[in-house]
């Protein structure tokens, strides 16, 4: 899992499935599982947190 996927989720509106496929995953389930293992949060949680921080 590369740091760039986390950055993409935090800064773009690219769908999570598209980020997963671009990183070589075949589905969001596996991507989410590995992302959570690497960062302790799901891709959606990271994206939501980044969006909340931008609003403040």
């Amino acid at each position: 899992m590369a740091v760039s996927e986390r950055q993409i989720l935090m800064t773009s509106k690219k769908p999570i499935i598209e980020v997963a496929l671009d990183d070589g995953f075949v589905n969001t389930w596996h991507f989410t599982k590995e992302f959570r293992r690497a960062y302790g949060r799901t891709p959606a949680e990271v994206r939501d947190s980044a969006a909340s921080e931008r609003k403040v």
Side-chain angles (χ1 to χ4, degrees), residues 18-42:
E18 206 171 310
V19 176
L21 293 173
D22 289 349
D23 197 34
F25 289 91
V26 295
N27 59 50
T28 55
W29 181 85
H30 190 237
F31 177 70
T32 298
K33 181 179 175 184
E34 294 301 318
F35 192 95
R36 183 181 292 172
R37 183 177 294 158
Y39 299 111
R41 298 165 65 188
T42 67

